[in-house]
Amino acid sequence: MKTTIIKDNIEQAAKLIKNGELVAVPTETVYGLAGNGLDSEAVGKIYEVKGRPPVKPLALMIPDSGKMELYCEDVPEQAKKLAESFWPGPLTIVLKAKSVVPEIVRAGGNTVALRCPDHPLTLELLSKAQLPLAAPSANPSGEPSPKNADKVMEYFDGKISAVIDGGECGIGTESTIIDMSATPYRILREAALSEETIRKALAQNLTVLGITGGTGCGKTTALKQLEELGAPIIDCDAVYHELLKSNAQLLNAIETAFPGSVQNGVLDRKRLGSIVFGSERDLKLLNEITHRYIAIEVERLLADFAMQGGTLAAIDAIGLIESGLARHCKAVIGVVADTETRVQRIMNRDGISRKYAQMRVDAQKPNEFFEKNCDYVLHNDKTERDFVNECKNLYKEVLKNG
């Protein structure tokens, strides 16, 4: 067999693929050894030429995310979002396979890996062939993956029909593989894209609602309705108190800014309070420090939830807007109530005097702040049943719109 070097006659390569032949193709990572992914005999040739163990499944190259459901069952929206973010590009997504995918591709399993290569010649081949390409790296098993056509010829000259010479591969590292066939999602191979990059992309595709408002307004009731929709609640106050126990960097930052406020690894709240509550500048500095560390932890929690397959989450924070956490939210919802209603609720809830309840209310942002800065406002000056219905109706509207 003579191996042909193809520079630009992609129609010729497409005919070879349709006829069950093997063609090495360029990608943005390394060269792949491609055959018709729906032809068991062609796929068998790939295993034979590479010396690849038959227990190792193959990935299928497809031209875009719109073809995912041709070959896969139960494709989660998160998989489509990742594909939209990184395809064409160095990301391989494992999903439940449809029966149309030959058993030899799946190595007897029930999943298949999909990839969309970022190289114009291979994308053109996919378009002309109108077939998925089974295409592991174009090297004998155990040898380095080739980054140019010359190396492919060194490996397979006379053993495959053609090599599409697309020049040197830009990345030279295999694609990252994520298994999204079940939850939690798992990174099977961290390569061209980092795990952190994937986690952040999934988190950015979450629908996150931010709930804010002063004490006594009824945020707890509003949040409960979101929990009933399956949304985990990230309570930023609880996050902060947990960080004070576990995050040495946060404590070091506070101690550096306010010497003597941390004793033996424990925050001295009275000492810190005596410093910051008498100085607007110091209070602002403390908030900048705490907001920074809370934001990092919130981002981690959102990414963890996204890797669990979650789609809807909520952030509960009085300082949601001032802290910058609102940037994570599809919508920021303020919960407000008149002053007397709040005072009565705080007195009944906490068993404190009217004076102290009033002081708490006076120390927080007025309703006008939330009405000005939030996307939506829930007014909680009515019966609990009416407020619950108002919450449900608003969430339905917000989620329907996006």
Side-chain angles (χ1 to χ4, degrees):
M1 177 189 297
K2 181 181 179 181
T3 300
T4 302
I5 301 291
I6 296 175
K7 293 285 188 178
D8 53 18
N9 187 359
I10 304 304
E11 189 67 51
Q12 177 187 3
K15 289 179 180 178
L16 290 170
I17 291 293
K18 291 177 181 179
N19 288 334
E21 301 299 325
L22 303 187
V23 178
V25 299
T27 75
E28 78 284 9
T29 55
V30 297
Y31 274 69
L33 184 58
N36 179 355
L38 302 182
D39 182 342
S40 295
E41 289 188 11
V43 175
K45 291 179 184 178
I46 295 175
Y47 279 100
E48 181 181 353
V49 169
K50 276 183 63 73
R52 184 180 178 91
V55 295
K56 295 181 67 176
L58 297 178
L60 293 181
M61 288 183 180
I62 59 176
D64 54 63
S65 60
K67 297 294 191 293
M68 298 174 88
E69 290 178 313
L70 289 178
Y71 312 111
C72 299
E73 305 273 10
D74 305 325
V75 179
E77 284 300 314
Q78 298 94 321
K80 297 175 185 178
K81 293 291 188 181
L82 276 188
E84 289 170 7
S85 297
F86 296 109
W87 283 3
L91 177 67
T92 297
I93 301 173
V94 177
L95 298 164
K96 293 178 183 177
K98 285 186 173 179
S99 59
V100 69
V101 179
E103 185 176 355
I104 190 172
V105 172
R106 298 179 274 114
N110 63 357
T111 62
V112 65
L114 300 181
R115 161 133 157 73
C116 179
D118 190 11
H119 195 287
L121 296 181
T122 302
L123 288 172
E124 184 181 350
L125 174 61
L126 285 163
S127 176
K128 290 184 180 300
Q130 289 295 297
L131 290 166
L133 300 177
S137 55
N139 57 287
S141 290
E143 295 294 330
S145 299
K147 302 174 187 177
N148 54 58
D150 289 342
K151 190 64 177 179
V152 177
M153 290 295 286
E154 181 183 320
Y155 286 147
F156 296 132
D157 188 13
K159 298 179 181 179
I160 63 176
S161 293
V163 177
I164 297 176
D165 187 352
E168 194 81 12
C169 295
I171 298 177
T173 302
E174 286 85 354
S175 65
T176 292
I177 303 174
I178 181 171
D179 185 349
M180 303 184 77
S181 64
T183 54
Y185 305 142
R186 294 183 299 131
I187 302 295
L188 302 182
R189 181 177 73 193
E190 185 175 12
L193 293 172
S194 70
E195 179 173 358
E196 188 61 23
T197 297
I198 301 299
R199 283 169 52 85
K200 284 184 177 180
L202 282 171
Q204 287 169 0
N205 287 318
L206 285 172
T207 296
V208 181
L209 300 185
I211 305 297
T212 188
T215 183
C217 285
K219 294 199 308 298
T220 300
T221 301
L223 290 163
K224 184 178 180 182
Q225 306 317 306
L226 280 174
E227 284 185 307
E228 291 182 0
L229 293 175
I233 308 301
I234 298 177
D235 180 341
C236 288
D237 190 49
V239 167
Y240 173 58
H241 289 295
E242 182 59 34
L243 288 175
L244 289 176
K245 299 176 185 176
S246 60
N247 193 301
Q249 290 180 320
L250 169 60
L251 290 172
N252 288 338
I254 293 174
E255 172 63 18
T256 299
F258 310 106
S261 59
V262 178
Q263 302 290 333
N264 299 318
V266 178
L267 181 69
D268 186 332
R269 295 176 186 275
K270 289 185 178 180
R271 169 66 176 164
L272 180 61
S274 68
I275 298 172
V276 302
F277 290 128
S279 166
E280 184 176 339
R281 175 182 171 277
D282 286 339
L283 183 58
K284 181 181 178 183
L285 177 58
L286 176 63
N287 285 334
E288 288 174 354
I289 294 170
T290 57
H291 288 164
R292 181 167 70 250
Y293 282 91
I294 290 171
I296 292 171
E297 181 65 6
V298 167
E299 289 168 3
R300 185 189 70 79
L301 292 170
L302 288 174
D304 283 349
F305 179 60
M307 288 292 285
Q308 294 288 332
T311 58
L312 174 65
I315 299 175
D316 169 22
I318 291 179
L320 184 73
I321 297 164
E322 307 95 301
S323 68
L325 286 172
R327 71 180 185 276
H328 295 291
C329 303
K330 170 185 172 55
V332 174
I333 300 169
V335 183
V336 300
D338 66 61
T339 299
E340 180 58 27
T341 299
R342 292 175 64 190
V343 168
Q344 289 294 333
R345 286 175 181 158
I346 296 169
M347 290 170 61
N348 294 335
R349 182 190 67 197
D350 299 339
I352 60 176
S353 68
R354 168 177 287 275
K355 176 182 177 181
Y356 284 110
Q358 185 71 54
M359 288 174 61
R360 287 190 190 179
V361 171
D362 291 343
Q364 295 179 348
K365 301 287 186 184
N367 288 348
E368 292 75 19
F369 172 84
F370 300 105
E371 291 168 345
K372 178 181 178 181
N373 292 285
C374 295
D375 300 306
Y376 303 90
V377 175
L378 289 165
H379 291 269
N380 188 10
D381 298 318
K382 49 186 74 69
T383 67
E384 183 172 357
R385 175 180 292 182
D386 287 340
F387 182 60
V388 166
N389 288 333
E390 185 176 342
C391 291
K392 289 180 176 179
N393 291 335
L394 176 59
Y395 299 153
K396 183 178 181 180
E397 175 188 344
V398 172
L399 297 177
K400 179 182 69 176
N401 292 334

